[in-house]
Amino acid sequence: MTTTASDVLIEGKAKIVRQDTTAHQVRVIFKDCATAFNGEKFSEIPGKGELNAKISGMLFQLLEEHHIPTCFVALGESANELVYNNLTMIPLEVVVRNHAYGSVCKRFGFEQGMAFKQPLVEYFLKNDAANDPQITESMIQERGSLPASISLSLLERRALQINEIFVAFFEARGIRCADFKLEFGVDAQGVLMLGDELSPDNFRLRDVKTAQVLDKDVFRLDLADLIETYQTLLKRMEAPTKLALDQPRTYWAQVFVKSRKNILNPESKAILTSLHNVGFTSVNGLQAGKRFEVQIEANTMMAAERQLLKIAEDVLSNPVIEDFELELGLSGGVS
Amino acid sequence: MKFGIVVFPGSNCERDSFDAAVRALNEEAVYLWHQDTDLQGVDAVILPGGFSYGDYLRSGALARFSPMLNSVRTFAEQGRPVLGICNGFQVLTESHLLPGALTRNTSLQFLCRQVALTVENTKTLYTHQYTQGQTITLPIAHAEGNYFAQPDTIKQLEDNHQVVFRYAEDVNGSINRIAGICNKAGNVLGMMPHPERNLWKQTQWTGEGRPLFDSLYTSILKTLASV
C-alpha cells in the first residue's frame, strides 16, 4: 500500500499513526528510534520498530485471549506495523508497579527492586512540556481528563486485571514483570479499551535468577545492546510455556443497585418525608439502594468481572428499573 | 383438560387457582412443585399469587431461576397458555416472558380491596367471554403492583393491544393504569387483580372472574379439537 503524507494522523516519539482504508481503523508504524528521559536521550536504532511491533502484537493478543478489550485488530502488512481500532485516547499514563524501580524510588525512597505488598497504580498526565507530572484523582476531575463513561476506579481495576495477566505470563518464562505503563482510550461506543503499545520501551522486565535487564533500561542506562536484549526477550516470550492462570482464586466484589434516575422510588421518597417530619429539613435528596458483597472464584480478575457483570445484570438488578455499579478487587481489597 | 398450578415456597393462592379449575370448570388440576421440571402434560399453566421465595431480592425475581420455570418458559414459547396472577405476573416480568417491571405502589401501602377494571382487549384466549370495554370488579392484594416500563415499551403494548385490563382509576401508580398485559402472541397473560378470587356470586359460579377461566377453557377446547 502506498502512503501519503496526508494520511498521517499523528507522529510521536516512537510511532506514526496513519489512517487505514477501513474506517475507524488506523495503521500504527513503530519507529526505529529510542528516546529516554522525556526525549533528552535519543538514538536511531534500526530493527527496533519491528521488534516492538512484534512484542506489542503478542501482548495485545495475550490480553484479548483473556477478554481484556484492546485496540488491537491485526498484524500489519509490514513487520513494523500493527492495525488498531481508532480510539479517543485518555491523556493519562497509567503505571502499574509490582517492584520498585526508577522514579518511584526517587519520589518515595523505596529501595531499588523491593517488592510491593500489592500492585500499585499511579497516574501521570501526558504532557511533555510539563514532564508528564504525576496526577491525583481530584486533579484528573478538575482537568476533565476522563470521558463521562469511564471512572478512575474502572481504570485502576482494568490496569490491575492486565497486570495479573502480564505477571503470570512473564513469571512462566522466568521473568519478573516489575512495572509497566499503559494508555487507554474509548471506542465510538464509549467502551474502555487498552491502546498505545506494549513494547519493552514501556516495561521493566528482569530475569528472575540473574536480574538481567530485558527492557529499555539497557538504553537508558547504557547497560547492553538494545536490539540484542529485545531479541532475547522476544525469544523467551515465544517459548510455548503455559500461563500460570489455571488455578481459581477468590476475588471480592461489591455490587451497588439503585433505582434508575427517571424512576420514582417511593421508598426513598417515604424516607425523605420522614426525615423532614422529624426536623431534618436540610435533606433535599435521598436515594435508597442495595449493596451486595460477593465472594467469587475465577482464574483471573477479568473473568471474575465478566461473571459479575452478568450476575448483576441478570439477577441482582432488574435493568428495567435499576442501575448497578461494580467494585472488584483482590482479596481483602473490598468487603 | 388439565391445569398446572406452580407452587413456590411462599405461594399462597395456589388453592384458589386449583378451585377455579376443579370446582368452577370441573376439570383436572395438578400442583407443580418449583423444584420439579415435569409439566405432567398440562394444557395450561397458572403462576399463582403469593410471596414466592419470600419476595427476596425483588418480588418474583428468584422464582424465575427455579427448575419448573424453565419448563414453563419452554411451554410459553410453544404458544401454550400461561397465566400469571399477582405474584405470578411479577414472576413473568422478571422472567422476561412479559415486558416491564412491577414496582412498589406509590402509596407504599399493601393494597387489599376490590377494584374496578375495564376489559381492554376481548380478542385474547383469556377474555373472549367478556365484552369489549366491560367494567368488572376483582380483588387486588399487593404491595408491588405499580407497573413500569420505558415509554417505547408502553407504546408497543398499547399499539399492539397488549393491555388486556386497565384499572378504572389509578390505584397503585401503574403507567396508563395498566392492570394486566399479554405477550405479543397473546398466550401469556399477567395481571395483578385476582380473577380466581371472584368466581362466586350468591352461591353460583357466576363471579366476574369466571369468564376469564371460561374463556381459557373454551380456547383450550378449541386447540384440543384442532389437533
Side-chain angles (χ1 to χ4, degrees):
Chain A
M1 172 173 303
T2 57
T3 55
T4 59
S6 63
D7 66 1
V8 172
L9 299 175
I10 317 164
E11 173 155 6
K13 281 177 284 191
K15 296 184 292 293
I16 301 168
V17 180
R18 290 180 186 278
Q19 179 59 51
D20 190 51
T21 43
T22 308
H24 316 300
Q25 286 188 1
V26 291
R27 289 180 298 121
V28 178
I29 294 103
F30 290 70
K31 289 159 68 171
D32 277 340
C33 58
T35 63
F37 310 112
N38 199 15
E40 277 170 42
K41 186 170 178 175
F42 178 93
S43 220
E44 192 71 26
I45 304 178
K48 175 172 173 288
E50 208 176 303
L51 279 163
N52 276 4
K54 245 186 208 155
I55 291 169
S56 289
M58 257 184 94
L59 290 176
F60 273 125
Q61 287 176 74
L62 172 73
L63 294 180
E64 288 281 344
E65 278 163 28
H66 289 88
H67 308 290
I68 305 275
T70 78
C71 61
F72 181 81
V73 177
L75 301 174
E77 280 172 11
S78 50
N80 65 345
E81 183 186 308
L82 298 178
V83 182
Y84 286 2
N85 272 318
N86 203 1
L87 304 180
T88 307
M89 294 304 290
I90 296 168
L92 295 175
E93 295 188 344
V94 181
V95 174
V96 183
R97 299 181 189 275
N98 299 301
H99 294 263
Y101 287 100
S103 75
V104 76
C105 298
K106 237 181 278 169
R107 282 181 286 127
F108 296 98
F110 289 114
E111 193 188 319
Q112 280 267 345
M114 68 154 280
F116 292 118
K117 290 190 211 81
Q118 52 187 19
L120 306 183
V121 181
E122 294 186 308
Y123 305 97
F124 298 86
L125 180 70
K126 270 188 79 72
N127 186 328
D128 282 345
N131 256 329
D132 298 341
Q134 190 167 14
I135 188 166
T136 59
E137 181 163 7
S138 53
M139 189 62 81
I140 288 170
Q141 261 162 24
E142 168 65 27
R143 298 185 55 93
S145 310
L146 290 175
S149 59
I150 306 300
S151 67
L152 197 63
S153 77
L154 171 61
L155 215 59
E156 178 179 334
R157 179 167 86 227
R158 192 54 48 81
L160 291 173
Q161 286 165 330
I162 292 167
N163 181 50
E164 196 180 39
I165 295 162
F166 284 161
V167 166
F169 175 82
F170 286 113
E171 202 173 73
R173 287 158 177 81
I175 298 168
R176 168 193 285 180
C177 177
D179 63 35
F180 55 88
K181 185 241 344 180
L182 304 171
E183 292 180 27
F184 291 91
V186 289
D187 68 5
Q189 282 74 43
V191 176
L192 185 69
M193 304 251 171
L194 181 65
D196 194 39
E197 64 178 78
L198 298 171
S199 76
D201 286 12
N202 292 347
F203 280 76
R204 276 197 182 84
L205 300 165
R206 305 292 143 98
D207 184 279
V208 171
K209 285 200 194 106
T210 64
Q212 184 194 354
V213 176
L214 297 165
D215 57 69
K216 202 172 74 173
D217 270 357
V218 295
F219 168 78
R220 272 193 203 97
L221 312 170
D222 295 317
L223 301 173
D225 180 70
L226 183 136
I227 294 293
E228 273 173 29
T229 305
Y230 282 20
Q231 274 167 345
T232 307
L233 175 69
L234 178 61
K235 217 183 213 164
R236 289 175 72 167
M237 283 173 65
E238 283 168 340
T241 312
K242 202 168 175 306
L243 207 55
L245 283 173
D246 48 6
Q247 288 299 312
R249 48 190 297 198
T250 303
Y251 297 93
W252 272 256
Q254 296 188 83
V255 180
F256 299 89
V257 177
K258 60 177 186 181
S259 292
R260 288 175 79 166
K261 266 206 183 101
N262 59 342
I263 310 260
L264 174 78
N265 183 334
E267 191 182 351
S268 303
K269 214 176 129 195
I271 297 168
L272 186 63
T273 309
S274 299
L275 285 173
H276 290 172
N277 288 347
V278 291
F280 294 111
T281 49
S282 53
V283 181
N284 40 33
L286 181 143
Q287 176 76 272
K290 287 181 222 161
R291 167 175 170 270
F292 300 88
E293 292 184 7
V294 188
Q295 245 185 70
I296 189 165
E297 275 204 346
N299 286 2
T300 64
M301 206 201 299
M302 195 63 201
E305 175 176 325
R306 282 159 57 86
Q307 282 189 62
L308 282 159
L309 288 176
K310 224 173 138 32
I311 290 167
E313 214 171 282
D314 287 358
V315 184
L316 300 183
S317 76
N318 179 343
V320 178
I321 47 171
E322 292 167 327
D323 281 327
F324 69 86
E325 275 170 37
L326 173 68
E327 272 179 27
L328 170 63
L330 299 159
S331 51
V334 268
S335 192
Chain B
M1 188 183 302
K2 191 154 69 168
F3 290 80
I5 294 123
V6 182
V7 182
F8 301 102
S11 296
N12 62 13
C13 298
E14 68 273 26
R15 190 58 204 255
D16 308 68
S17 298
F18 190 90
D19 275 4
V22 174
R23 297 182 62 201
L25 298 177
N26 261 318
E27 292 295 333
E28 202 189 332
V30 286
Y31 291 120
L32 302 170
W33 184 235
H34 69 120
Q35 294 284 35
D36 297 337
T37 52
D38 182 9
L39 286 173
Q40 301 181 36
V42 297
D43 300 293
V45 168
I46 302 177
L47 299 166
F51 300 87
S52 56
Y53 295 88
D55 270 358
Y56 291 165
L57 193 59
R58 292 175 306 279
S59 20
L62 296 182
R64 168 190 165 198
F65 301 107
S66 64
M68 183 53 77
L69 236 287
N70 259 332
S71 308
V72 171
R73 181 190 308 278
T74 313
F75 188 75
E77 283 163 1
Q78 288 163 354
R80 315 288 301 278
V82 176
L83 167 63
I85 303 167
C86 195
N87 186 227
F89 187 11
Q90 294 163 342
V91 174
L92 288 173
T93 55
E94 282 286 346
S95 310
H96 310 305
L97 285 167
L98 290 175
L102 291 144
T103 65
R104 192 58 89 84
N105 299 340
T106 39
S107 65
L108 293 173
Q109 286 166 335
F110 187 94
L111 299 171
C112 185
R113 59 183 171 94
Q114 303 284 339
V115 295
L117 305 167
T118 50
V119 183
E120 297 282 322
N121 181 351
T122 52
K123 295 205 171 83
T124 78
L125 56 159
Y126 300 92
T127 52
H128 56 83
Q129 302 217 358
Y130 292 106
T131 52
Q132 182 73 29
Q134 184 183 345
T135 302
I136 57 170
T137 301
L138 295 180
I140 54 163
H142 62 247
E144 274 108 13
N146 180 351
Y147 184 80
F148 176 87
Q150 295 296 340
D152 51 334
T153 306
I154 297 287
K155 188 177 180 305
Q156 276 175 20
L157 287 175
E158 296 287 1
D159 289 353
N160 300 333
H161 307 288
Q162 286 171 254
V163 178
V164 180
F165 297 104
R166 217 186 285 278
Y167 300 110
E169 52 189 50
D170 180 31
V171 295
N172 54 19
S174 292
I175 292 181
N176 291 6
R177 306 197 313 281
I178 287 171
I181 57 168
C182 63
N183 63 349
K184 218 169 169 185
N187 63 307
V188 179
L189 173 69
M191 60 193 295
M192 289 315 292
H194 289 269
E196 83 288 16
R197 290 193 195 171
N198 186 357
L199 296 173
W200 283 80
K201 195 175 178 187
Q202 295 164 346
T203 74
Q204 300 289 314
W205 291 102
T206 55
E208 288 179 325
R210 174 73 195 256
L212 187 139
F213 291 97
D214 285 339
S215 301
L216 181 55
Y217 172 78
T218 49
S219 303
I220 295 169
L221 269 192
K222 225 189 273 172
T223 10
L224 290 178
S226 69
V227 177

